């Protein structure tokens, strides 16, 4: 007998299924399956889960992008983005002006994101706001995915909804400050860390470190607030031996340092004469900016001796452990802090004696650390502090409310121990009481807050009674309805504030949500706030101007007031120490620029950003944000004038942000004063109160 097996006959053409057509329906089926999974979720998911996620993402998009074209943002950063669209050098360094004289006081990470959008779609309000909206919605989606992996769809849905409706998150995502990008990058870092903890692989941990490094290049030391929690969670819970955990953390630390420091090292290695002055620094280095103005100066204030003025704390109230609950901060972030704290403790207790590598406990430790580290940092910071900083705390609160809330509900429903019969109702009741306190602060501010207060009181009462009755009568459905009612009740207050933030014009410099219940609003507090608003009408060389992004300090009649907003305190944040730069003066400067690189030199960033956005021309900020930067020296000024790169300078003498006295004295002695009547036909005065001087090469001895 032959052992040779016969081969199946090759199919003849036209017989059986066509070999080239078979993959077509298979491929089409795969695409259809992916589409169904994208919109409806996985087959094993609850049928409501994916539609609920899409509904939350639509809600987030609506809140963050409502009336997108009217969002003016922060004129300081907007001017830098505009300059970056005119010069790749300014783009790389994050310079305020396209001539690259001085940088903004932050690394350029967020500016790059907005700058790319502006280069693709053109410069304008919505083009700058679009990346921030995308970052905000992306953060909601990412948080959902992270919480779902460990705690399921209900917890993930609640967490995503809480983050979406966090009032300060809505306000800052509708702005052009760097915080939405910072939060997204930090969440990407957290996602990598949890993946590394679950799987024990090195690569996710390295990518986690890289994400935090990119976050550092968005807002420097604030990105590192979460690092202690990252290190502790990985060292404690990763599924590896202790030696391998330490080794992997060492490798990740190297990745963190490289991804954080590359831009700083490059900039500091470039000769100072070939790059802009580093705004906010005391010695023209990024390193000083890191440890000073954007580092210890933010924590310890002016007493630290480096960076950041301590009186900036007035934007969020006095530094104390209770700061998050005061009249300024309370309505922005504190609504669910009591619930989150109870949820964290309860969640950890419920994990009991779970193995060291328990992924749920690891996640709770991460989110608890995220929340507590931010809470302590922001509450006790003595330096410049703005309410919108706390948007970075929101993911931790949201995750704890979702994950810990579901854990408490399951314990309440399933455990016979008496101690779990009161924890969830107490958490709901306590959080509802605090919500009523916050809403009473807004009493009389609008119908929406009154409706929210009624919803909180009625909803919380129904929820607590329903939970208790359902537990004692063992009616599962009643407990479920009561829990859902509790979610609605506790989110009524944040929702009211969020809707207010989405439908009203907020201060682009110091955005907050809800009614004004305390603090200084958009006023200045020493090297911190930046006035937002609409630019006076002006024409760019191409016939258009950068869209509505000059500071709200624009005075009546199209004047950029050197004192900032007319309602702001006069002691800080002024736009040149009392000098007014009118539209007529700007038109005069453009007509007499005579080929100079810079249109004019002024005392501070605020004045410079206003003129940049109105004129479309580079403007020198001699003293940076506070007016105290040593960016312009007399020798540098003489060199610029001698080279024909600068002809005009505005001398400011009033306020705390005036022109350097040595420079002012030299300009007055050698320059030619420009009378107001030279550019303002309505002026009958021959005075030179504007402080504008003309300088030419012949004036330099």
């Amino acid at each position: 007998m032959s052992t040779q097996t016969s081969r199946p006959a090759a199919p003849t053409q036209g017989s059986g299924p066509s070999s080239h057509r078979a993959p077509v329906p298979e491929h089409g089926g795969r695409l259809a399956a992916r589409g169904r999974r994208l919109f409806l979720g996985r087959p094993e998911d609850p049928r409501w889960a994916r539609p609920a996620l899409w509904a939350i993402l639509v809600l987030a998009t609506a809140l963050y992008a409502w009336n997108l074209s009217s969002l003016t943002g922060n004129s300081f950063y907007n001017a830098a983005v505009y300059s970056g669209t005119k010069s790749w050098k300014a783009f790389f360094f994050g310079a305020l002006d396209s001539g690259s004289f001085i940088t903004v006081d932050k690394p350029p990470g967020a500016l790059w994101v907005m700058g790319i959008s502006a280069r693709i779609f053109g410069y304008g309000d919505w083009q700058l706001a679009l990346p921030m909206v995308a970052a905000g919605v992306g953060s909601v989606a990412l948080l959902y995915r992270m919480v779902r992996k460990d705690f399921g769809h209900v917890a993930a849905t609640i967490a995503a909804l809480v983050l979406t409706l966090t009032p300060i998150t809505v306000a800052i995502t509708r702005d052009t400050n760097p915080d939405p990008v910072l939060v997204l990058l930090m969440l990407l870092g957290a996602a990598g860390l949890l993946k590394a903890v679950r799987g024990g692989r090195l690569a996710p941990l390295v990518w986690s470190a890289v994400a935090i490094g990119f976050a550092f290049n968005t807002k420097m030391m604030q990105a590192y607030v979460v690092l202690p929690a990252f290190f502790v969670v990985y060292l404690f819970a990763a599924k590896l031996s202790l030696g391998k955990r330490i080794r992997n953390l060492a490798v990740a630390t190297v990745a963190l340092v490289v991804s954080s420091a590359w831009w700083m090292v490059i900039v500091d290695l470039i000769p100072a004469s070939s790059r802009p002055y580093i705004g906010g620094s005391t010695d023209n280095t990024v390193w000083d900016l890191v440890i000073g103005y954007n580092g210890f100066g933010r924590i310890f204030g002016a007493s630290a001796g480096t960076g950041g003025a301590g009186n900036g704390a007035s934007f969020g109230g006095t530094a104390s452990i209770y700061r998050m609950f005061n009249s300024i901060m309370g309505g922005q972030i504190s609504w669910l802090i009591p619930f989150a704290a109870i949820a964290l403790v309860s969640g950890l207790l419920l994990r009991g004696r779970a193995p060291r590598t328990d992924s749920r406990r690891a996640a709770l430790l991460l989110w608890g650390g995220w929340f507590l580290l931010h809470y302590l940092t922001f509450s006790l910071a003595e330096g410049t502090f703005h309410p919108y900083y706390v948007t970075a705390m929101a993911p931790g609160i949201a995750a704890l409310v979702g994950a810990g809330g579901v854990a408490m509900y399951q314990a309440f429903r399933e455990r016979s121990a008496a101690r779990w019969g009161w924890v969830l109702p107490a958490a709901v009741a306590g959080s509802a009481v605090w919500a009523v306190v916050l809403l009473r602060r807004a009493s009389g501010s609008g119908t929406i807050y009154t409706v929210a207060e009624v919803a909180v009181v009625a909803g919380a009462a129904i929820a607590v009674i329903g939970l208790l009755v359902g537990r004692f009568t063992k009616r599962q459905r009643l407990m479920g309805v009561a829990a859902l009612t509790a979610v609605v009740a506790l989110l009524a207050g944040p929702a009211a504030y969020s809707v207010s933030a989405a439908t009203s014009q907020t201060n682009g410099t110091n955005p907050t949500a809800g009614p004004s219940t305390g603090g200084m609003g958009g006023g200045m507090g020493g090297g911190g706030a930046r006035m937002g608003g609409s630019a006076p009408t002006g024409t760019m060389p191409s016939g258009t101007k950068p869209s509505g992004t000059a500071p709200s300090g624009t005075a009546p009649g199209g004047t950029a007031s050197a004192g900032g907003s007319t309602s702001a305190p006069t002691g800080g944040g002024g736009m040149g120490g009392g000098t007014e730069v009118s539209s007529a003066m700007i038109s005069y400067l453009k007509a007499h620029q005579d080929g100079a690189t810079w249109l004019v030199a002024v005392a501070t960033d605020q004045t410079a950003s206003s003129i940049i956005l109105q004129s479309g021309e580079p403007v020198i900020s001699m003293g940076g944000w506070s007016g105290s930067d040593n960016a312009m020296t007399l020798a540098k000024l003489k060199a610029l004038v001698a080279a024909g790169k600068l002809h005009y300078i505005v001398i400011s003498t009033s306020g705390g942000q005036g022109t350097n006295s040595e420079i002012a004295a030299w300009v007055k002695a050698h320059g030619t004063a420009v009378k107001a009547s030279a550019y303002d036909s309505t002026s009958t005065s021959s005075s030179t109160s504007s402080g504008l001087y003309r300088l030419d090469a012949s004036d330099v001895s």
Side-chain angles (χ1 to χ4, degrees):
M1 177 184 291
S2 172
T3 59
Q4 184 177 3
T5 59
S6 61
R7 287 185 176 181
T12 59
Q13 186 175 9
S15 65
S18 171
S19 59
H20 69 278
R21 293 179 61 185
V24 175
E26 184 178 332
H27 179 65
R30 285 200 300 269
L31 287 178
R34 289 176 181 174
R36 286 194 298 270
R37 179 169 178 171
L38 175 64
F39 290 103
L40 301 177
R42 300 170 299 181
E44 63 270 24
D45 291 345
R47 295 184 64 180
W48 58 266
R50 188 56 58 94
L53 171 60
W54 280 112
I56 292 172
L57 295 180
V58 169
L59 174 63
T61 304
L63 289 171
Y64 303 161
W66 185 261
N67 202 12
L68 186 65
S69 61
S70 71
L71 303 184
T72 55
N74 188 324
S75 62
F76 177 62
Y77 295 122
N78 292 0
V81 173
Y82 175 76
S83 298
T85 65
K86 300 299 179 183
S87 164
W88 284 111
K89 179 179 180 180
F91 178 91
F92 175 77
F93 287 109
L96 179 65
D97 60 286
S98 59
S100 295
F101 181 83
I102 190 172
T103 70
V104 298
D105 56 10
K106 298 290 186 297
L111 300 180
W112 290 342
V113 175
M114 290 185 285
I116 291 172
S117 175
R119 281 184 174 268
I120 293 173
F121 301 111
Y123 181 90
D125 293 331
W126 71 263
Q127 291 92 331
L128 271 61
L130 184 63
M132 298 303 165
V133 172
V137 176
S139 294
V140 172
L142 182 56
L143 181 67
Y144 176 93
R145 180 179 177 86
M146 294 167 67
V147 174
R148 189 204 68 199
K149 281 183 176 294
D150 291 307
F151 301 99
H153 294 88
V154 174
T157 302
I158 294 173
L161 187 58
V162 170
L163 181 58
T164 296
L165 293 176
T166 299
I168 195 60
T169 297
V170 176
I172 192 60
T173 307
R174 296 173 57 80
D175 199 75
T176 51
N177 281 282
D179 298 73
V181 176
L182 171 74
V183 171
L184 178 60
L185 289 169
M186 292 169 66
L187 281 172
L188 286 170
L193 177 84
L194 289 177
K195 187 173 182 179
V197 168
R198 296 187 200 101
R201 295 174 55 236
L202 174 61
L205 185 64
V206 170
W207 285 115
S208 171
V210 170
I212 298 300
F214 287 170
F216 177 90
N217 282 304
T218 299
K219 215 173 177 191
M220 290 189 169
M221 294 297 284
Q222 188 177 338
Y224 285 178
V225 171
V226 295
L227 281 183
F230 279 32
F231 276 86
V232 168
V233 169
Y234 186 83
L235 192 61
F236 174 75
K239 296 180 178 180
L240 294 169
S241 66
L242 179 60
K244 290 183 177 179
R245 278 177 270 157
I246 294 174
R247 179 204 64 188
N248 287 357
L249 281 175
V251 174
T253 301
V254 173
L256 174 69
V257 171
V258 172
S259 58
S260 298
W262 70 271
W263 181 81
M264 175 177 63
V265 171
I266 291 174
V267 172
D268 283 351
L269 287 177
I270 295 174
S273 60
S274 300
R275 60 166 172 81
Y277 184 92
I278 305 303
S281 70
T282 59
D283 63 359
N284 195 16
T285 65
V286 182
W287 174 247
D288 179 78
L289 188 64
V290 170
I291 64 172
Y293 184 81
N294 287 328
F296 295 116
R298 300 279 172 166
I299 303 299
F300 302 110
S303 62
T306 55
N311 60 346
S314 58
F315 284 103
T318 304
S320 79
I321 198 69
Y322 306 110
R323 176 188 264 174
M324 295 300 109
F325 299 95
N326 68 25
S327 61
I328 305 171
M329 300 302 305
Q332 308 305 315
I333 192 66
S334 73
W335 301 88
L336 292 169
I337 285 179
F339 193 98
I342 296 171
L344 172 60
V345 174
S346 299
L348 290 175
L349 289 175
L350 286 167
R351 297 318 297 162
R353 297 183 179 181
R356 174 185 65 81
T357 57
D358 179 60
S359 63
R360 289 191 174 186
R361 182 169 56 198
L364 284 170
L365 288 172
L366 174 65
W367 297 122
W370 182 304
F371 160 59
L372 291 173
L373 288 167
H374 279 103
Y375 182 92
L376 292 173
T377 300
F378 293 143
S379 295
L380 303 178
E382 298 279 352
T384 301
F385 172 76
H386 293 277
Y388 64 81
Y389 293 174
V390 300
T391 189
M393 185 164 59
I397 295 174
L400 288 175
V401 170
V406 168
M408 286 192 294
Y409 174 75
Q410 291 173 340
F412 175 83
R413 188 183 64 181
E414 298 170 2
R415 296 205 176 196
S416 57
R419 65 176 179 273
W420 293 109
W422 62 267
V423 176
L424 180 60
V428 172
S431 298
V433 169
W434 177 240
V436 171
V437 171
L438 292 174
L439 288 167
R440 294 302 298 168
R441 291 177 181 175
S443 178
S445 298
T447 304
I448 190 172
Y449 304 108
T450 303
V451 172
E453 186 175 351
V454 172
V456 171
V457 173
I462 293 171
V464 171
I465 294 172
L467 286 170
L468 294 175
V469 171
R471 176 179 170 87
F472 291 118
T473 60
K474 302 186 183 304
R475 297 172 64 181
Q476 302 284 342
R477 184 181 295 274
L478 177 58
M479 285 190 286
V481 172
L484 180 60
T485 305
V487 172
V488 174
L490 296 186
L491 288 178
Y497 270 62
S498 295
V499 170
S500 171
T503 56
S504 60
Q505 185 68 37
T506 58
N507 186 318
T509 309
N510 190 33
T512 55
S516 176
T517 56
M520 298 168 59
M524 290 302 302
R530 298 166 174 87
M531 314 308 293
S534 299
T537 302
T539 304
M540 298 284 289
S542 61
T544 60
K545 67 179 180 65
S547 305
T549 43
S552 59
T554 301
T559 303
S561 170
S565 173
T566 55
S567 61
T570 57
M575 297 177 55
T579 301
E580 290 188 353
V581 181
S582 65
S583 298
M585 181 190 288
I586 292 174
S587 297
Y588 175 87
L589 291 170
K590 292 182 70 174
H592 297 83
Q593 191 170 356
D594 296 337
T597 301
W598 287 276
L599 184 68
V600 65
V602 294
T604 64
D605 288 343
Q606 301 97 300
T607 308
S609 61
S610 173
I611 301 173
I612 289 169
L613 292 171
Q614 185 173 348
S615 69
E617 297 293 335
V619 175
I620 287 178
S621 168
M622 295 183 288
W625 177 253
S626 65
S628 62
D629 288 359
N630 194 32
M632 179 67 84
T633 62
L634 181 56
K636 189 181 293 186
L637 175 62
K638 289 180 178 180
L640 292 174
V641 172
K645 295 182 178 180
L646 176 67
H647 290 309
Y648 290 94
I649 182 170
V650 174
I651 297 299
S652 172
T653 56
S654 61
Q657 298 180 319
T659 308
N660 174 287
S661 58
E662 182 185 21
I663 291 176
W666 184 85
V667 169
K668 290 178 179 179
H670 296 83
T672 301
V674 179
K675 298 179 180 180
S677 58
Y679 53 82
D680 187 355
S681 60
T682 64
S683 175
T684 58
S685 172
S686 59
S687 70
T688 58
S689 59
S690 64
L692 180 64
Y693 287 81
R694 166 88 186 202
L695 292 164
D696 291 291
S698 59
D699 297 319
V700 180
S701 57

